[in-house]
Amino acid sequence: MVTQSPVRAPRICTVCLAALFSLLAIPSPGRTESSKSPGSASAQAGTASGAGAQDAGAYAGRERLSFDADWKFTKGDPEGTPAGALSYTALKPWLMASGAEFARADAPSAVRPPGEPYSASCAQPGFDDGAWRALDLPHDWGIEGPFEQSYSGDTGKLPWWGVGWYRKHFQISAADRGRRISLEVDGAMAYAAIWVNGRFAGGWPYGYASFQIDLTPYLVFDGDNVVAIRLDNPPDSSRWYPGGGIYRNVWLAKTSPVHIAHWGETLDTPRIDKASATVAVTTVLQNETGAAAEVSVATTLYALNARGERLSDPIARIDPARVRLPAGRSALSARSARVPNPRLWSPSSPALYLAVTTVSGGGRAWDQIETRFGIRTIAFDPDRGFLLNGERIRIQGVCDHHDLGALGAAINVRALERQIDLLQEMGCNAIRTSHNPPAPELLDLCDRKGMLVMDESFDCWIRGKRPNDYHLLFQDWHERDLRALVRRDRNHPSIILWSIGNEVPDQSTPEGWRLAAHLTSIVSEEDRTRPTTSACNSAESGYNGFQVALGVMGYNYHSAQYVPFHSANPDIALIGSETASAVSTRGAYYFPVSDDKALGRADFQVSSYDLYAPPWAWPPDVEFEAEDRNAFVGGEFVWTGFDYLGEPTPYNSDSTNLLNFTDPADQAREAKELAALGRLHVPSRSSYFGIIDLAGFKKDRFFLYQSHWRPELPMAHLLPHWTWPERVGQVTPVFVYTSGDEAELFLNGRSLGRKRMAPFTYRLRWDDVRYQPGELKVVAYKAGRRWASDSVRTAGPAAKLTAIPDRSDLAADGADLSFVTLSVRDRTGSLVPRASNVLRFSVTGPGEILAVDNGDPTSFEPFHSEQRKAFNGLCLAIIRTKPGQPGTVTLTAESEGLEAARINLKSH
């Protein structure tokens, strides 16, 4: 039996830590006290078992209702608002009372001060919001645009910053009197401040955090209520596009006064073997009445099928445990059960279970929650890498930011699911949530679909990277934010690592290791079943003591350090926490082809020969070789799975040098601009790092990773495309990515030679092919047998459009999506690989065009539109159903001079 060892606690002098916290004004670590039910015990350090969100359906006083519909929105504060009256500094004394359950008991800021802070006119219930925009959540105001050249490319050239207000009227029944009513916000960007009926109820500054605010003291029962939420998204607060607004889901939760605490149940599996697994259940109970209460807590365990449905018969029951709850206090109940013949969770078999916990007393049921979980073991071994259920699995992961391309930061489950489907097709088995807490829905999907997760907390600590980033909040909020993250997510079986930071500048400072140890200790207090890591871009962080504060060392772009690190730290496991960072544009190829990673650039794009990267980064092959030579490395997280808004390296800012352009007219125009202005306006607004582009179209790199990560899959992929009328007779190198071990290349039926994959090489190259129109074909072999083939043909003039949806059967819920790929084809059906025709879209039936895209990182065309240029032959239309309106949705795509495309989607 393999179990996860307890997280190593670094040996740190208590006096040193106290001095550090005093220096940084961080409260010294204290012990969180809780009462326990008789006979209960703390959960033992051991193998993590996970669970998804604790779904609180309506039962015995508990309801969790969607609160996304029927909001009003406007940008900016009302006229007459005094400068600074609603700033974080002004509201801080009241804000710090939020999340008191995540703060140490001795933290004075956890108590709400008397009185009220300044309240803007629009926070008052009688305010006339008739002129405000009506909308439903989730909402990202930044993605609505427009793009502006003067805005920073690093954050997408979109207007995501500023102040925004949201208001909602809602009714609370008289029957709810005596219940606790809370607002649960999965994510609001940023500095959320919340008023209810004109009174300040609380808030949370960190835009990626999920949080709960108690509304009960401020409500009118059996009457109208108004909640007003102010967001303040500072400029210069992010290194990538963060979005703006209430961009994740919001819920209204109702509980009895005696109830299970928010994120108050933990499931753990300290012992697992083939015959049985021990499931330990720890439940925090709250009594928000003025009298003591005695309750019983019982849990029933069920298996779930592949669709997430509960099987009818329980697999185990935990007998009721009696718990005495003092008035106004909380208590803890720890129990366990044995699950026979457990189905272990893994990427290949993501088996899930359900725990149903009921609290009852005084002849009534007070509360019930349902918690999904999985049974599995994890371990990081310094010599063997990552072990899941006792077997070595190489982490084949990607890093991804939270935006969903043309949808912006606004969460949509189907869009997330599409991303995971594409990644798994490539052979990816892990996601790093760069560089912040993810949406809960992402973790639920990873549980269900079998994706491993590195759950990341912060992009900086005390030392910031931007003037207004998280370093301004770290002192006040790091403990609450980190505890909230772990407490929310610790039951997910998909999570294997807690990342406490990304490339934090503190890693190279004398106090950095102490700070890392402090954060690791916070995580360990909340969850001792998984190790911490930090994504380190400084080589010295592996030797200066910083590495000792982590459970697993993470190196960013330092594959050359793997062997020295392992020799110097033989007891510390190691992963590539951020790797490669190759850059490319889908469908773009520039000549001559060079192996100099700094070249391959033209037209504000990057060649897709997959040889190019920024100075700190490397083509994928470098990391492949480093890990193949060093089995002790647990795996990698590639930067990035998808292109994302912002960070358009290598075109991050306007240029003072003349860049390369393939069209002489463009070159002359840009030269004139440079002479007149002293700089070139660079339009790039989204990244080139993705293996998949912003629209979700596969780049060539997708097939390079697939060939390495799925060696059992017969596949071969040719590049470049084969439509080069201007290159007849010129050298046009051909690359082949294949899971085979050799391949033969043919041009118009003539063999150009058979090549074999040499050790530690990952692509086959024919560098001297001279272009002739016709058919280019490759036949791959494995162990001497034909394995796979691929071909590309020279395309003729554009003649027609084709439309292919990723799904044709949709739910009529107002959230389900179909991603429709439009392509420009010639008469024979071949893709016209450099087509840029303007496509126009129309929809009939119960659906709408939510957004359009084409993957071009330089396009300023709005995402919310009914037309779009094709980019290198492709275009995307995202269709959304209308709620409660089943029927046939018809999408038509037209372009001047081309045969139109039309498809039908069914909404049920």
Side-chain angles (χ1 to χ4, degrees):
M1 179 180 70
V2 179
T3 60
Q4 169 65 34
S5 300
V7 176
R8 180 178 62 250
R11 296 179 180 176
I12 308 166
C13 168
T14 306
V15 176
C16 293
L17 272 180
L20 173 68
F21 298 142
S22 175
L23 176 67
L24 305 177
I26 297 172
S28 298
R31 297 186 66 177
T32 302
E33 296 189 10
S34 62
S35 56
K36 295 183 179 180
S37 58
S40 67
S42 299
Q44 299 298 308
T47 311
S49 83
Q54 293 169 4
D55 298 325
Y59 181 89
R62 178 177 287 263
E63 296 177 90
R64 191 172 189 250
L65 309 171
S66 174
F67 210 54
D68 287 343
D70 301 325
W71 288 78
K72 291 293 192 74
F73 168 74
T74 194
K75 289 289 294 292
D77 283 322
E79 186 176 351
T81 302
L86 296 173
S87 68
Y88 174 68
T89 301
L91 297 179
K92 176 180 170 180
W94 289 268
L95 284 169
M96 292 299 292
S98 300
E101 65 271 27
F102 302 108
R104 287 171 171 77
D106 59 353
S109 59
V111 178
R112 180 186 171 103
E116 291 280 330
Y118 176 81
S119 177
S121 59
C122 60
Q124 302 305 312
F127 177 82
D128 182 5
D129 58 17
W132 288 22
R133 174 183 167 191
L135 53 75
D136 294 337
L137 306 178
H139 172 236
D140 172 12
W141 72 59
I143 200 65
E144 298 168 354
F147 291 105
E148 289 288 347
Q149 177 62 45
S150 60
Y151 298 162
S152 170
D154 279 347
T155 50
K157 294 189 179 294
L158 286 165
W160 52 269
W161 60 90
V163 170
W165 280 89
Y166 295 83
R167 281 172 54 92
K168 179 180 172 74
H169 289 257
F170 63 104
Q171 301 287 318
I172 296 293
S173 166
D176 288 327
R177 196 182 305 275
R179 303 170 84 186
R180 307 303 298 185
I181 314 295
S182 299
L183 187 70
E184 297 179 4
V185 180
D186 287 346
M189 192 67 68
Y191 287 88
I194 300 172
W195 285 261
V196 177
N197 296 326
R199 297 180 61 193
F200 189 77
W204 207 283
Y206 191 25
Y208 295 105
S210 297
F211 59 93
Q212 180 190 62
I213 300 296
D214 185 10
L215 307 184
T216 313
Y218 316 107
L219 292 174
V220 175
F221 291 87
D222 198 22
D224 186 59
N225 294 271
V226 177
V227 58
I229 302 178
R230 180 184 189 266
L231 303 181
D232 185 358
N233 219 7
D236 293 322
S237 58
S238 181
R239 298 188 300 113
W240 57 88
Y241 175 77
I246 305 177
Y247 67 103
R248 293 179 182 165
N249 291 307
V250 177
W251 310 87
L252 192 70
K254 302 179 181 182
T255 65
S256 298
V258 177
H259 60 93
I260 297 168
H262 187 47
W263 304 327
E265 184 152 279
T266 307
L267 284 100
D268 203 4
T269 52
R271 288 180 295 277
I272 301 172
D273 58 36
K274 290 183 178 180
S276 67
T278 299
V279 177
V281 183
T282 305
T283 308
V284 177
L285 305 168
Q286 288 184 319
N287 179 6
E288 299 190 69
T289 73
E294 187 167 309
V295 299
S296 68
V297 186
T299 301
T300 305
L301 305 181
Y302 298 87
L304 300 179
N305 63 22
R307 296 183 299 276
E309 299 165 339
R310 180 198 305 187
L311 301 183
S312 57
D313 295 328
I315 57 169
R317 298 182 188 274
I318 303 177
D319 292 336
R322 304 297 298 177
V323 182
R324 180 171 176 78
L325 289 164
R329 300 290 297 275
S330 63
L332 181 147
S333 172
R335 308 160 322 279
S336 65
R338 175 181 170 274
V339 174
N341 305 312
R343 298 175 300 133
L344 301 187
W345 186 95
S346 71
S348 61
S349 180
L352 293 173
Y353 292 87
L354 184 73
V356 180
T357 295
T358 305
V359 180
S360 57
R364 61 166 293 181
W366 288 96
D367 200 1
Q368 185 183 81
I369 64 169
E370 297 182 351
T371 307
R372 292 181 299 278
F373 70 102
I375 298 172
R376 81 324 180 236
T377 70
I378 63 168
F380 284 86
D381 186 279
D383 296 316
R384 299 177 60 197
F386 174 62
L387 306 178
L388 179 66
N389 300 324
E391 297 181 3
R392 184 180 186 274
I393 291 182
R394 177 174 287 180
I395 296 171
Q396 299 174 168
V398 299
C399 307
D400 269 328
H401 277 309
H402 71 299
D403 78 69
L404 294 169
L407 304 182
I411 191 66
N412 179 277
V413 173
R414 175 55 205 156
L416 283 173
E417 186 175 38
R418 176 188 183 234
Q419 287 193 341
I420 292 175
D421 289 343
L422 286 166
L423 292 173
Q424 290 185 320
E425 181 187 348
M426 182 175 66
C428 177
N429 63 13
I431 294 174
R432 173 184 172 217
T433 67
S434 309
H435 301 294
N436 44 260
E441 292 85 354
L442 174 63
L443 299 177
D444 291 340
L445 284 168
C446 289
D447 289 347
R448 180 166 60 85
K449 299 178 80 67
M451 290 289 274
L452 307 171
V453 175
M454 181 200 297
D455 201 344
E456 194 151 79
S457 52
F458 308 123
D459 189 47
C460 64
W461 298 344
I462 292 172
R463 287 165 175 78
K465 301 175 183 178
R466 292 291 184 270
N468 294 319
D469 67 13
Y470 189 80
H471 80 280
L472 299 178
L473 292 171
F474 186 86
Q475 178 177 309
D476 293 340
W477 286 89
H478 74 275
E479 181 183 5
R480 297 171 197 231
D481 286 329
L482 188 53
R483 289 190 190 277
L485 168 68
V486 178
R487 207 171 292 181
R488 185 195 73 171
D489 296 348
R490 61 191 169 188
N491 290 323
H492 287 277
S494 55
I495 296 174
I496 59 172
L497 282 166
W498 302 111
S499 173
I500 56 174
N502 168 65
E503 297 184 351
V504 294
D506 313 79
Q507 67 189 287
S508 301
T509 63
E511 74 275 9
W513 70 272
R514 294 186 177 94
L515 208 48
H518 165 63
L519 296 173
T520 291
S521 71
I522 290 174
V523 172
S524 298
E525 288 172 14
E526 299 291 336
D527 174 31
R528 291 187 60 84
T529 70
R530 300 173 181 87
T532 60
T533 189
S534 185
C536 299
N537 62 326
S538 169
E540 70 173 298
S541 62
Y543 310 95
N544 65 3
F546 191 88
Q547 79 280 15
V548 180
L550 307 172
V552 174
M553 179 65 187
Y555 258 142
N556 290 8
Y557 313 110
H558 282 300
S559 57
Q561 291 294 323
Y562 292 167
V563 172
F565 175 88
H566 187 56
S567 298
N569 301 276
D571 296 326
I572 301 178
L574 173 67
I575 60 167
S577 45
E578 191 171 310
T579 64
S581 268
V583 287
S584 65
T585 301
R586 175 189 54 79
Y589 307 93
Y590 301 116
F591 305 96
V593 174
S594 171
D595 287 295
D596 183 342
K597 68 179 182 179
L599 299 181
R601 306 174 189 176
D603 307 329
F604 302 120
Q605 308 291 356
V606 184
S607 178
S608 193
Y609 273 97
D610 299 330
L611 296 169
Y612 307 108
W616 70 85
W618 308 97
D621 319 52
V622 174
E623 185 69 24
F624 291 168
E625 180 177 357
E627 293 190 23
D628 285 347
R629 289 183 182 274
N630 302 291
F632 58 83
V633 181
E636 67 171 317
F637 290 88
V638 180
W639 191 264
T640 54
F642 287 79
D643 280 340
Y644 54 94
L645 292 165
E647 288 193 313
T649 305
Y651 300 108
N652 298 76
S653 59
D654 289 352
S655 176
T656 56
N657 299 311
L658 185 61
L659 304 177
N660 293 327
F661 295 89
T662 55
D663 187 331
D666 290 340
Q667 189 86 12
R669 185 186 68 250
E670 297 297 333
K672 184 177 180 180
E673 179 180 314
L674 180 62
L677 303 177
R679 63 177 180 172
L680 292 182
H681 289 304
V682 173
S684 303
R685 46 70 171 165
S686 57
S687 83
Y688 301 80
F689 291 118
I691 301 170
I692 302 168
D693 76 11
L694 196 73
F697 300 142
K698 301 166 188 173
K699 300 183 186 180
D700 292 300
R701 228 180 321 146
F702 177 98
F703 300 98
L704 178 57
Y705 279 98
Q706 187 183 65
S707 70
H708 185 59
W709 284 353
R710 297 186 67 183
E712 78 293 343
L713 175 71
M715 59 80 60
H717 175 74
L718 275 170
L719 65 107
H721 65 75
W722 211 241
T723 304
W724 301 103
E726 75 280 16
R727 295 191 61 78
V728 174
Q730 297 184 44
V731 172
T732 307
V734 174
F735 288 7
V736 172
Y737 303 151
T738 179
S739 53
D741 50 33
E742 59 181 322
E744 186 171 10
L745 185 67
F746 299 87
L747 178 56
N748 294 326
R750 181 173 62 89
S751 175
L752 300 183
R754 185 159 167 166
K755 294 179 181 285
R756 185 169 184 82
M757 205 83 74
F760 303 112
T761 59
Y762 304 92
R763 63 180 87 191
L764 295 172
R765 298 173 59 160
W766 283 259
D767 288 328
D768 56 357
V769 178
R770 292 189 178 274
Y771 176 78
Q772 293 293 332
E775 182 187 47
L776 188 70
K777 181 177 181 179
V778 67
V779 178
Y781 299 85
K782 194 162 191 173
R785 297 185 176 183
R786 183 168 175 142
W787 180 246
S789 64
D790 189 29
S791 63
V792 289
R793 293 177 179 271
T794 302
K800 62 183 178 180
L801 302 177
T802 62
I804 301 177
D806 70 331
R807 294 159 68 246
S808 296
D809 290 307
L810 308 174
D813 58 5
D816 204 2
L817 306 177
S818 180
F819 291 81
V820 183
T821 299
L822 287 304
S823 56
V824 181
R825 304 275 170 172
D826 68 6
R827 286 294 176 194
T828 68
S830 294
L831 178 72
V832 182
R834 290 188 282 182
S836 58
N837 306 63
V838 176
L839 278 63
R840 298 180 302 277
F841 304 101
S842 60
V843 168
T844 59
E848 60 184 340
I849 299 169
L850 180 60
V852 293
D853 196 5
N854 60 16
D856 179 2
T858 70
S859 174
F860 278 22
E861 296 173 280
F863 292 125
H864 299 275
S865 176
E866 294 183 350
Q867 72 173 39
R868 189 75 165 196
K869 282 185 177 180
F871 178 64
N872 290 335
L874 298 180
C875 192
L876 178 74
I878 305 173
I879 308 303
R880 180 171 63 184
T881 61
K882 293 185 177 180
Q885 298 182 42
T888 299
V889 180
T890 301
L891 169 69
T892 301
E894 299 173 296
S895 183
E896 186 175 352
L898 303 184
E899 180 183 326
R902 183 173 290 104
I903 58 164
N904 292 325
L905 311 172
K906 296 294 185 181
S907 180
H908 304 282

